Amino acid sequence: MKLYGTSTSPFVRRVRIVAAEVGEAVERVDTATEEGQAELRALTPIRKVPVASLDGRTLFDSRTIVDWLVTTRGWGAIQPPRDPWIEANLLNAIDAALDAVIQLFYLRRDGVAIDGTPYAERQLARADAIFLWLGTQLAHDRCGFGPALGLAEISLVCALDWMDFRQTYPTERAKTVQGVRNAWKKRASLVATRPE
Ligand SMILES: N[C@@H](CCC(=O)N[C@@H](CS)C(=O)NCC(=O)O)C(=O)O
């Protein structure tokens, strides 16, 4: 699979983790470079990463790429969802926290004095509410939402690690879900893809 994206994006990272878990080799095109960005823009009008080229297709969006991988390659060592609707709620919640905080990151990076504004506070409060809710969805051992590593656990770890890496959200505020990150921190696919 040719995967367009940066080494730091949490959305790209979740695809890289799933690819590793299902045994799909990844050739990454770095979209942080001018050439990579030009290639990306020729492929997608959305101008967001990840985008994948595989099996004669171009696929936009991490969730779609992951769906394609698990559908065509199988789940490998990943736990398939027991209830796809519950899984969709978990993934939508994690994506909403990431999207909220990513907007703050981009605004700050472009020099907008966003910190402390009602808009920024609302986004951080949204992330607080999401992590609190995710905490209520954990299994008894608090290591995840089910018995093993699934897509929601992968996405949550990618989100928290990225928030720490970019210091966009103080993840000590996400106390209720820290156990998930601790539980999977030695998983090879997670170790190999940590943002740095
Ligand atoms: N829903 C998309 C979100 C992807 C996304 O937000 N990617 C960010 C990088 S982490 C991006 O490319 N942003 C570029 C921009 O907003 O201009 C997915 O899951 O793939």
Side-chain angles (χ1 to χ4, degrees):
M1 163 172 69
K2 208 162 171 180
L3 184 65
Y4 297 82
T6 59
S7 58
T8 50
S9 160
F11 296 103
V12 174
R13 185 180 177 206
R14 62 167 76 145
V15 173
R16 293 166 67 206
I17 291 168
V18 171
E21 295 286 345
V22 305
E24 175 73 19
V26 171
E27 179 199 337
R28 194 167 59 82
V29 176
D30 186 3
T31 53
T33 67
E34 237 173 71
E35 310 81 71
Q37 197 50 227
E39 278 190 58
L40 177 75
R41 287 175 181 220
L43 279 178
T44 173
I46 301 175
R47 300 182 170 188
K48 287 187 180 184
V49 294
V51 167
S53 297
L54 76 170
D55 304 339
R57 291 175 187 268
T58 300
L59 300 174
F60 310 153
D61 201 286
S62 62
R63 300 264 294 270
T64 302
I65 302 167
V66 164
D67 271 356
W68 180 268
L69 285 175
V70 296
T71 303
T72 58
R73 274 54 166 177
W75 288 85
I78 302 172
Q79 176 74 31
R82 280 171 304 168
D83 180 327
W85 307 104
I86 291 177
E87 175 104 334
N89 279 351
L90 295 171
L91 292 173
N92 283 330
I94 296 162
D95 281 2
L98 259 180
D99 285 336
V101 174
I102 279 175
Q103 293 317 314
L104 296 182
F105 169 69
Y106 284 135
L107 287 165
R108 237 179 252 137
R109 201 174 64 174
D110 285 343
V112 179
I114 191 70
D115 293 321
T117 61
Y119 175 81
E121 293 306 315
R122 266 201 315 280
Q123 304 317 311
L124 296 175
R126 188 194 319 276
D128 289 343
I130 289 169
F131 289 129
L132 205 59
W133 176 78
L134 287 169
T136 68
Q137 304 301 301
L138 291 174
H140 268 312
D141 62 7
R142 306 195 70 74
C143 294
F145 305 99
L149 186 75
L151 298 179
E153 289 81 4
I154 291 171
S155 296
L156 177 60
V157 173
C158 291
L160 291 171
D161 284 354
W162 178 83
M163 288 171 184
D164 279 347
F165 174 67
R166 292 295 194 195
Q167 300 189 323
T168 44
Y169 173 86
T171 60
E172 58 276 11
R173 275 160 67 164
K175 278 197 274 314
T176 55
V177 291
Q178 289 300 347
V180 181
R181 188 152 56 164
N182 291 338
W184 302 108
K185 65 173 183 244
K186 294 207 172 118
R187 184 84 160 209
S189 59
L190 297 185
V191 173
T193 55
R194 220 164 257 148
E196 52 190 30

